[in-house]
mmCIF file of all heavy atoms in Angstrom:
data_model
loop_
_atom_site.group_PDB
_atom_site.id
_atom_site.type_symbol
_atom_site.label_atom_id
_atom_site.label_comp_id
_atom_site.label_asym_id
_atom_site.label_seq_id
_atom_site.Cartn_x
_atom_site.Cartn_y
_atom_site.Cartn_z
ATOM 1 N N VAL A 118 110.142 88.061 101.024
ATOM 2 C CA VAL A 118 109.720 89.139 101.911
ATOM 3 C C VAL A 118 110.896 89.900 102.518
ATOM 4 O O VAL A 118 110.895 91.147 102.532
ATOM 5 C CB VAL A 118 108.774 88.601 103.007
ATOM 6 C CG1 VAL A 118 108.554 89.651 104.099
ATOM 7 C CG2 VAL A 118 107.436 88.206 102.403
ATOM 8 N N PRO A 119 111.938 89.237 103.053
ATOM 9 C CA PRO A 119 113.049 90.014 103.629
ATOM 10 C C PRO A 119 113.708 90.959 102.626
ATOM 11 O O PRO A 119 114.068 92.091 102.983
ATOM 12 C CB PRO A 119 114.020 88.924 104.107
ATOM 13 C CG PRO A 119 113.172 87.731 104.347
ATOM 14 C CD PRO A 119 112.121 87.790 103.282
ATOM 15 N N SER A 120 113.864 90.542 101.379
ATOM 16 C CA SER A 120 114.473 91.415 100.370
ATOM 17 C C SER A 120 113.590 92.624 100.084
ATOM 18 O O SER A 120 114.085 93.743 99.912
ATOM 19 C CB SER A 120 114.715 90.632 99.075
ATOM 20 O OG SER A 120 115.650 89.598 99.282
ATOM 21 N N ILE A 121 112.284 92.413 100.030
ATOM 22 C CA ILE A 121 111.369 93.527 99.770
ATOM 23 C C ILE A 121 111.366 94.498 100.940
ATOM 24 O O ILE A 121 111.364 95.720 100.756
ATOM 25 C CB ILE A 121 109.961 92.976 99.482
ATOM 26 C CG1 ILE A 121 109.976 92.178 98.174
ATOM 27 C CG2 ILE A 121 108.940 94.100 99.408
ATOM 28 C CD1 ILE A 121 108.684 91.462 97.873
ATOM 29 N N VAL A 122 111.378 93.975 102.167
ATOM 30 C CA VAL A 122 111.413 94.843 103.348
ATOM 31 C C VAL A 122 112.685 95.680 103.351
ATOM 32 O O VAL A 122 112.646 96.909 103.533
ATOM 33 C CB VAL A 122 111.313 93.997 104.632
ATOM 34 C CG1 VAL A 122 111.574 94.869 105.860
ATOM 35 C CG2 VAL A 122 109.939 93.351 104.738
ATOM 36 N N ASN A 123 113.826 95.053 103.148
ATOM 37 C CA ASN A 123 115.088 95.794 103.150
ATOM 38 C C ASN A 123 115.162 96.771 101.983
ATOM 39 O O ASN A 123 115.755 97.853 102.112
ATOM 40 C CB ASN A 123 116.272 94.828 103.098
ATOM 41 C CG ASN A 123 116.575 94.216 104.451
ATOM 42 O OD1 ASN A 123 116.286 94.799 105.496
ATOM 43 N ND2 ASN A 123 117.157 93.029 104.453
ATOM 44 N N GLY A 124 114.566 96.415 100.840
ATOM 45 C CA GLY A 124 114.537 97.348 99.721
ATOM 46 C C GLY A 124 113.706 98.585 100.029
ATOM 47 O O GLY A 124 114.093 99.709 99.691
ATOM 48 N N LEU A 125 112.570 98.396 100.686
ATOM 49 C CA LEU A 125 111.738 99.531 101.067
ATOM 50 C C LEU A 125 112.451 100.409 102.091
ATOM 51 O O LEU A 125 112.421 101.646 101.996
ATOM 52 C CB LEU A 125 110.407 99.035 101.625
ATOM 53 C CG LEU A 125 109.426 100.122 102.101
ATOM 54 C CD1 LEU A 125 109.117 101.093 100.976
ATOM 55 C CD2 LEU A 125 108.151 99.489 102.634
ATOM 56 N N LEU A 126 113.106 99.789 103.062
ATOM 57 C CA LEU A 126 113.837 100.567 104.063
ATOM 58 C C LEU A 126 114.975 101.357 103.411
ATOM 59 O O LEU A 126 115.224 102.507 103.785
ATOM 60 C CB LEU A 126 114.384 99.636 105.144
ATOM 61 C CG LEU A 126 113.338 98.954 106.034
ATOM 62 C CD1 LEU A 126 114.012 97.988 106.997
ATOM 63 C CD2 LEU A 126 112.526 99.987 106.806
ATOM 64 N N ALA A 127 115.651 100.750 102.452
ATOM 65 C CA ALA A 127 116.716 101.459 101.747
ATOM 66 C C ALA A 127 116.157 102.648 100.971
ATOM 67 O O ALA A 127 116.762 103.721 100.929
ATOM 68 C CB ALA A 127 117.454 100.510 100.808
ATOM 69 N N GLY A 128 114.992 102.462 100.343
ATOM 70 C CA GLY A 128 114.366 103.569 99.633
ATOM 71 C C GLY A 128 113.941 104.682 100.565
ATOM 72 O O GLY A 128 114.107 105.869 100.260
ATOM 73 N N VAL A 129 113.403 104.331 101.731
ATOM 74 C CA VAL A 129 112.989 105.340 102.713
ATOM 75 C C VAL A 129 114.197 106.112 103.226
ATOM 76 O O VAL A 129 114.141 107.335 103.417
ATOM 77 C CB VAL A 129 112.231 104.663 103.875
ATOM 78 C CG1 VAL A 129 112.029 105.644 105.029
ATOM 79 C CG2 VAL A 129 110.880 104.140 103.379
ATOM 80 N N ASP A 130 115.305 105.420 103.441
ATOM 81 C CA ASP A 130 116.507 106.093 103.938
ATOM 82 C C ASP A 130 117.049 107.109 102.939
ATOM 83 O O ASP A 130 117.796 108.017 103.324
ATOM 84 C CB ASP A 130 117.595 105.059 104.256
ATOM 85 C CG ASP A 130 117.238 104.208 105.466
ATOM 86 O OD1 ASP A 130 116.385 104.644 106.268
ATOM 87 O OD2 ASP A 130 117.804 103.104 105.612
ATOM 88 N N GLN A 131 116.708 106.954 101.659
ATOM 89 C CA GLN A 131 117.187 107.878 100.628
ATOM 90 C C GLN A 131 116.248 109.055 100.391
ATOM 91 O O GLN A 131 116.549 109.922 99.564
ATOM 92 C CB GLN A 131 117.388 107.119 99.312
ATOM 93 C CG GLN A 131 118.457 106.040 99.384
ATOM 94 C CD GLN A 131 118.504 105.175 98.140
ATOM 95 O OE1 GLN A 131 117.930 105.516 97.115
ATOM 96 N NE2 GLN A 131 119.168 104.024 98.234
ATOM 97 N N VAL A 132 115.123 109.104 101.094
ATOM 98 C CA VAL A 132 114.180 110.212 100.935
ATOM 99 C C VAL A 132 114.774 111.467 101.572
ATOM 100 O O VAL A 132 115.141 111.440 102.756
ATOM 101 C CB VAL A 132 112.826 109.876 101.577
ATOM 102 C CG1 VAL A 132 111.894 111.082 101.515
ATOM 103 C CG2 VAL A 132 112.186 108.686 100.875
ATOM 104 N N PRO A 133 114.885 112.576 100.843
ATOM 105 C CA PRO A 133 115.405 113.810 101.440
ATOM 106 C C PRO A 133 114.524 114.272 102.598
ATOM 107 O O PRO A 133 113.291 114.290 102.472
ATOM 108 C CB PRO A 133 115.366 114.815 100.277
ATOM 109 C CG PRO A 133 115.366 113.970 99.048
ATOM 110 C CD PRO A 133 114.609 112.722 99.407
ATOM 111 N N PRO A 134 115.102 114.639 103.731
ATOM 112 C CA PRO A 134 114.283 115.103 104.877
ATOM 113 C C PRO A 134 113.406 116.288 104.526
ATOM 114 O O PRO A 134 112.363 116.493 105.158
ATOM 115 C CB PRO A 134 115.347 115.476 105.922
ATOM 116 C CG PRO A 134 116.557 114.687 105.550
ATOM 117 C CD PRO A 134 116.530 114.595 104.053
ATOM 118 N N LEU A 135 113.817 117.073 103.523
ATOM 119 C CA LEU A 135 113.016 118.231 103.133
ATOM 120 C C LEU A 135 111.616 117.820 102.703
ATOM 121 O O LEU A 135 110.635 118.526 102.990
ATOM 122 C CB LEU A 135 113.721 118.984 101.999
ATOM 123 C CG LEU A 135 112.996 120.222 101.447
ATOM 124 C CD1 LEU A 135 112.832 121.272 102.536
ATOM 125 C CD2 LEU A 135 113.757 120.795 100.254
ATOM 126 N N TYR A 136 111.490 116.667 102.007
ATOM 127 C CA TYR A 136 110.174 116.206 101.571
ATOM 128 C C TYR A 136 109.255 115.970 102.770
ATOM 129 O O TYR A 136 108.074 116.326 102.749
ATOM 130 C CB TYR A 136 110.310 114.912 100.776
ATOM 131 C CG TYR A 136 110.953 115.055 99.427
ATOM 132 C CD1 TYR A 136 111.448 116.278 98.981
ATOM 133 C CD2 TYR A 136 111.086 113.963 98.581
ATOM 134 C CE1 TYR A 136 112.055 116.405 97.744
ATOM 135 C CE2 TYR A 136 111.689 114.076 97.333
ATOM 136 C CZ TYR A 136 112.172 115.310 96.936
ATOM 137 O OH TYR A 136 112.768 115.426 95.716
ATOM 138 N N LEU A 137 109.808 115.348 103.803
ATOM 139 C CA LEU A 137 108.999 115.061 104.982
ATOM 140 C C LEU A 137 108.606 116.344 105.707
ATOM 141 O O LEU A 137 107.483 116.463 106.207
ATOM 142 C CB LEU A 137 109.776 114.131 105.916
ATOM 143 C CG LEU A 137 110.235 112.802 105.300
ATOM 144 C CD1 LEU A 137 111.014 111.982 106.328
ATOM 145 C CD2 LEU A 137 109.048 112.012 104.792
ATOM 146 N N ARG A 138 109.528 117.316 105.755
ATOM 147 C CA ARG A 138 109.206 118.583 106.416
ATOM 148 C C ARG A 138 108.139 119.343 105.646
ATOM 149 O O ARG A 138 107.220 119.925 106.246
ATOM 150 C CB ARG A 138 110.469 119.437 106.562
ATOM 151 C CG ARG A 138 111.460 118.885 107.580
ATOM 152 C CD ARG A 138 112.469 119.948 107.995
ATOM 153 N NE ARG A 138 113.335 120.336 106.881
ATOM 154 C CZ ARG A 138 114.496 119.772 106.616
ATOM 155 N NH1 ARG A 138 114.951 118.784 107.389
ATOM 156 N NH2 ARG A 138 115.239 120.187 105.601
ATOM 157 N N VAL A 139 108.246 119.331 104.313
ATOM 158 C CA VAL A 139 107.215 120.002 103.505
ATOM 159 C C VAL A 139 105.862 119.335 103.706
ATOM 160 O O VAL A 139 104.832 120.003 103.836
ATOM 161 C CB VAL A 139 107.618 119.984 102.017
ATOM 162 C CG1 VAL A 139 106.464 120.456 101.144
ATOM 163 C CG2 VAL A 139 108.835 120.862 101.790
ATOM 164 N N GLY A 140 105.850 118.005 103.725
ATOM 165 C CA GLY A 140 104.595 117.303 103.969
ATOM 166 C C GLY A 140 104.002 117.642 105.323
ATOM 167 O O GLY A 140 102.778 117.810 105.458
ATOM 168 N N ARG A 141 104.857 117.782 106.330
ATOM 169 C CA ARG A 141 104.374 118.133 107.666
ATOM 170 C C ARG A 141 103.797 119.547 107.672
ATOM 171 O O ARG A 141 102.763 119.810 108.285
ATOM 172 C CB ARG A 141 105.516 118.007 108.670
ATOM 173 C CG ARG A 141 105.073 118.104 110.126
ATOM 174 C CD ARG A 141 106.235 117.942 111.074
ATOM 175 N NE ARG A 141 106.925 116.671 110.876
ATOM 176 C CZ ARG A 141 108.147 116.558 110.401
ATOM 177 N NH1 ARG A 141 108.839 117.636 110.055
ATOM 178 N NH2 ARG A 141 108.706 115.368 110.262
ATOM 179 N N VAL A 142 104.475 120.471 106.979
ATOM 180 C CA VAL A 142 103.989 121.843 106.906
ATOM 181 C C VAL A 142 102.631 121.902 106.206
ATOM 182 O O VAL A 142 101.746 122.680 106.584
ATOM 183 C CB VAL A 142 105.014 122.739 106.175
ATOM 184 C CG1 VAL A 142 104.423 124.102 105.864
ATOM 185 C CG2 VAL A 142 106.270 122.892 107.024
ATOM 186 N N LEU A 143 102.453 121.046 105.188
ATOM 187 C CA LEU A 143 101.188 121.045 104.455
ATOM 188 C C LEU A 143 100.086 120.284 105.174
ATOM 189 O O LEU A 143 98.972 120.152 104.658
ATOM 190 C CB LEU A 143 101.402 120.431 103.061
ATOM 191 C CG LEU A 143 102.309 121.239 102.120
ATOM 192 C CD1 LEU A 143 102.512 120.492 100.810
ATOM 193 C CD2 LEU A 143 101.728 122.622 101.864
ATOM 194 N N GLY A 144 100.382 119.760 106.354
ATOM 195 C CA GLY A 144 99.363 119.099 107.152
ATOM 196 C C GLY A 144 99.281 117.611 106.983
ATOM 197 O O GLY A 144 98.343 116.977 107.490
ATOM 198 N N ALA A 145 100.236 116.993 106.270
ATOM 199 C CA ALA A 145 100.215 115.545 106.085
ATOM 200 C C ALA A 145 100.759 114.865 107.330
ATOM 201 O O ALA A 145 101.877 115.140 107.768
ATOM 202 C CB ALA A 145 101.048 115.155 104.871
ATOM 203 N N SER A 146 99.972 113.977 107.879
ATOM 204 C CA SER A 146 100.397 113.257 109.079
ATOM 205 C C SER A 146 99.790 111.860 109.055
ATOM 206 O O SER A 146 98.826 111.592 108.329
ATOM 207 C CB SER A 146 99.954 113.998 110.349
ATOM 208 O OG SER A 146 98.539 114.110 110.389
ATOM 209 N N GLY A 147 100.374 110.972 109.833
ATOM 210 C CA GLY A 147 99.847 109.621 109.930
ATOM 211 C C GLY A 147 99.902 108.899 108.597
ATOM 212 O O GLY A 147 100.898 108.954 107.863
ATOM 213 N N TRP A 148 98.810 108.196 108.263
ATOM 214 C CA TRP A 148 98.762 107.422 107.032
ATOM 215 C C TRP A 148 98.838 108.314 105.796
ATOM 216 O O TRP A 148 99.399 107.929 104.775
ATOM 217 C CB TRP A 148 97.492 106.583 106.991
ATOM 218 C CG TRP A 148 97.244 105.934 105.670
ATOM 219 C CD1 TRP A 148 96.238 106.189 104.797
ATOM 220 C CD2 TRP A 148 98.062 104.926 105.034
ATOM 221 N NE1 TRP A 148 96.355 105.401 103.671
ATOM 222 C CE2 TRP A 148 97.466 104.614 103.802
ATOM 223 C CE3 TRP A 148 99.225 104.263 105.418
ATOM 224 C CZ2 TRP A 148 97.992 103.677 102.930
ATOM 225 C CZ3 TRP A 148 99.763 103.324 104.554
ATOM 226 C CH2 TRP A 148 99.155 103.039 103.326
ATOM 227 N N THR A 149 98.267 109.527 105.873
ATOM 228 C CA THR A 149 98.336 110.456 104.738
ATOM 229 C C THR A 149 99.782 110.787 104.416
ATOM 230 O O THR A 149 100.174 110.843 103.243
ATOM 231 C CB THR A 149 97.562 111.742 105.065
ATOM 232 O OG1 THR A 149 96.203 111.410 105.367
ATOM 233 C CG2 THR A 149 97.599 112.705 103.896
ATOM 234 N N ARG A 150 100.588 111.009 105.425
ATOM 235 C CA ARG A 150 102.008 111.306 105.210
ATOM 236 C C ARG A 150 102.727 110.106 104.587
ATOM 237 O O ARG A 150 103.547 110.258 103.682
ATOM 238 C CB ARG A 150 102.652 111.675 106.550
ATOM 239 C CG ARG A 150 104.157 111.857 106.512
ATOM 240 C CD ARG A 150 104.635 112.384 107.852
ATOM 241 N NE ARG A 150 106.075 112.378 107.971
ATOM 242 C CZ ARG A 150 106.777 111.396 108.509
ATOM 243 N NH1 ARG A 150 106.150 110.319 108.986
ATOM 244 N NH2 ARG A 150 108.092 111.465 108.586
ATOM 245 N N ILE A 151 102.387 108.911 105.044
ATOM 246 C CA ILE A 151 103.024 107.713 104.498
ATOM 247 C C ILE A 151 102.589 107.489 103.059
ATOM 248 O O ILE A 151 103.413 107.221 102.174
ATOM 249 C CB ILE A 151 102.669 106.487 105.363
ATOM 250 C CG1 ILE A 151 103.258 106.643 106.769
ATOM 251 C CG2 ILE A 151 103.173 105.206 104.722
ATOM 252 C CD1 ILE A 151 102.792 105.583 107.743
ATOM 253 N N ARG A 152 101.285 107.622 102.817
ATOM 254 C CA ARG A 152 100.717 107.317 101.500
ATOM 255 C C ARG A 152 101.139 108.321 100.435
ATOM 256 O O ARG A 152 101.453 107.938 99.297
ATOM 257 C CB ARG A 152 99.183 107.276 101.614
ATOM 258 C CG ARG A 152 98.415 107.269 100.302
ATOM 259 C CD ARG A 152 98.664 106.000 99.518
ATOM 260 N NE ARG A 152 97.915 106.000 98.275
ATOM 261 C CZ ARG A 152 98.327 106.587 97.155
ATOM 262 N NH1 ARG A 152 99.486 107.232 97.116
ATOM 263 N NH2 ARG A 152 97.577 106.543 96.064
ATOM 264 N N HIS A 153 101.144 109.611 100.762
ATOM 265 C CA HIS A 153 101.351 110.637 99.745
ATOM 266 C C HIS A 153 102.746 111.245 99.753
ATOM 267 O O HIS A 153 103.086 111.980 98.809
ATOM 268 C CB HIS A 153 100.322 111.759 99.919
ATOM 269 C CG HIS A 153 98.904 111.311 99.678
ATOM 270 N ND1 HIS A 153 98.404 111.087 98.421
ATOM 271 C CD2 HIS A 153 97.893 111.026 100.550
ATOM 272 C CE1 HIS A 153 97.133 110.693 98.515
ATOM 273 N NE2 HIS A 153 96.803 110.640 99.788
ATOM 274 N N VAL A 154 103.538 110.998 100.767
ATOM 275 C CA VAL A 154 104.876 111.591 100.821
ATOM 276 C C VAL A 154 105.956 110.516 100.901
ATOM 277 O O VAL A 154 106.832 110.420 100.027
ATOM 278 C CB VAL A 154 105.003 112.557 102.027
ATOM 279 C CG1 VAL A 154 106.412 113.159 102.061
ATOM 280 C CG2 VAL A 154 103.966 113.648 101.951
ATOM 281 N N LEU A 155 105.892 109.684 101.920
ATOM 282 C CA LEU A 155 106.996 108.759 102.189
ATOM 283 C C LEU A 155 107.140 107.692 101.108
ATOM 284 O O LEU A 155 108.219 107.520 100.517
ATOM 285 C CB LEU A 155 106.792 108.102 103.558
ATOM 286 C CG LEU A 155 107.940 107.233 104.061
ATOM 287 C CD1 LEU A 155 109.190 108.070 104.255
ATOM 288 C CD2 LEU A 155 107.564 106.540 105.363
ATOM 289 N N LEU A 156 106.050 106.949 100.826
ATOM 290 C CA LEU A 156 106.152 105.851 99.855
ATOM 291 C C LEU A 156 106.434 106.329 98.429
ATOM 292 O O LEU A 156 107.285 105.751 97.748
ATOM 293 C CB LEU A 156 104.873 105.002 99.899
ATOM 294 C CG LEU A 156 104.659 104.204 101.193
ATOM 295 C CD1 LEU A 156 103.369 103.384 101.113
ATOM 296 C CD2 LEU A 156 105.848 103.296 101.482
ATOM 297 N N PRO A 157 105.763 107.379 97.925
ATOM 298 C CA PRO A 157 106.117 107.851 96.573
ATOM 299 C C PRO A 157 107.559 108.334 96.468
ATOM 300 O O PRO A 157 108.225 108.086 95.458
ATOM 301 C CB PRO A 157 105.123 109.002 96.330
ATOM 302 C CG PRO A 157 103.965 108.698 97.212
ATOM 303 C CD PRO A 157 104.555 108.074 98.439
ATOM 304 N N ALA A 158 108.060 109.006 97.505
ATOM 305 C CA ALA A 158 109.439 109.491 97.463
ATOM 306 C C ALA A 158 110.436 108.337 97.527
ATOM 307 O O ALA A 158 111.535 108.424 96.976
ATOM 308 C CB ALA A 158 109.685 110.467 98.610
ATOM 309 N N ALA A 159 110.059 107.252 98.200
ATOM 310 C CA ALA A 159 110.963 106.105 98.332
ATOM 311 C C ALA A 159 110.881 105.156 97.147
ATOM 312 O O ALA A 159 111.677 104.211 97.066
ATOM 313 C CB ALA A 159 110.627 105.337 99.617
ATOM 314 N N LEU A 160 109.954 105.393 96.215
ATOM 315 C CA LEU A 160 109.700 104.426 95.145
ATOM 316 C C LEU A 160 110.910 104.152 94.251
ATOM 317 O O LEU A 160 111.189 102.986 93.930
ATOM 318 C CB LEU A 160 108.510 104.887 94.300
ATOM 319 C CG LEU A 160 108.000 103.895 93.250
ATOM 320 C CD1 LEU A 160 107.637 102.563 93.898
ATOM 321 C CD2 LEU A 160 106.793 104.461 92.518
ATOM 322 N N PRO A 161 111.682 105.168 93.805
ATOM 323 C CA PRO A 161 112.840 104.840 92.954
ATOM 324 C C PRO A 161 113.832 103.903 93.636
ATOM 325 O O PRO A 161 114.332 102.962 93.016
ATOM 326 C CB PRO A 161 113.464 106.217 92.687
ATOM 327 C CG PRO A 161 112.330 107.173 92.811
ATOM 328 C CD PRO A 161 111.474 106.622 93.923
ATOM 329 N N GLY A 162 114.112 104.134 94.913
ATOM 330 C CA GLY A 162 115.009 103.232 95.626
ATOM 331 C C GLY A 162 114.371 101.892 95.926
ATOM 332 O O GLY A 162 115.051 100.856 95.914
ATOM 333 N N PHE A 163 113.068 101.908 96.160
ATOM 334 C CA PHE A 163 112.351 100.674 96.478
ATOM 335 C C PHE A 163 112.263 99.751 95.275
ATOM 336 O O PHE A 163 112.152 98.532 95.429
ATOM 337 C CB PHE A 163 110.950 101.040 96.979
ATOM 338 C CG PHE A 163 110.076 99.862 97.287
ATOM 339 C CD1 PHE A 163 110.567 98.760 97.968
ATOM 340 C CD2 PHE A 163 108.744 99.856 96.904
ATOM 341 C CE1 PHE A 163 109.756 97.669 98.263
ATOM 342 C CE2 PHE A 163 107.930 98.775 97.185
ATOM 343 C CZ PHE A 163 108.442 97.687 97.865
ATOM 344 N N LEU A 164 112.325 100.313 94.065
ATOM 345 C CA LEU A 164 112.226 99.486 92.865
ATOM 346 C C LEU A 164 113.336 98.444 92.824
ATOM 347 O O LEU A 164 113.121 97.300 92.403
ATOM 348 C CB LEU A 164 112.276 100.372 91.622
ATOM 349 C CG LEU A 164 112.123 99.657 90.281
ATOM 350 C CD1 LEU A 164 110.790 98.933 90.206
ATOM 351 C CD2 LEU A 164 112.240 100.650 89.133
#
């Protein structure tokens, strides 16, 4: 579990802020923002 948590955090840290701003502009917030913007963008680093 600790390795997976740190891997996910490392992937999130590599997400370009522009992706999050675009998601916010398109109305993504809360779980929708996490599900459709944050986690998919962090997936290559999270792998």
Side-chain angles (χ1 to χ4, degrees):
V118 169
S120 296
I121 294 173
V122 171
N123 281 333
L125 179 57
L126 293 176
V129 169
D130 291 340
Q131 297 172 14
V132 175
L135 179 62
Y136 290 3
L137 303 179
R138 290 197 294 268
V139 170
R141 190 179 302 112
V142 170
L143 294 177
S146 61
W148 170 247
T149 302
R150 173 173 171 266
I151 295 172
R152 167 66 179 84
H153 295 284
V154 180
L155 187 63
L156 292 181
L160 188 56
F163 177 43
L164 183 60

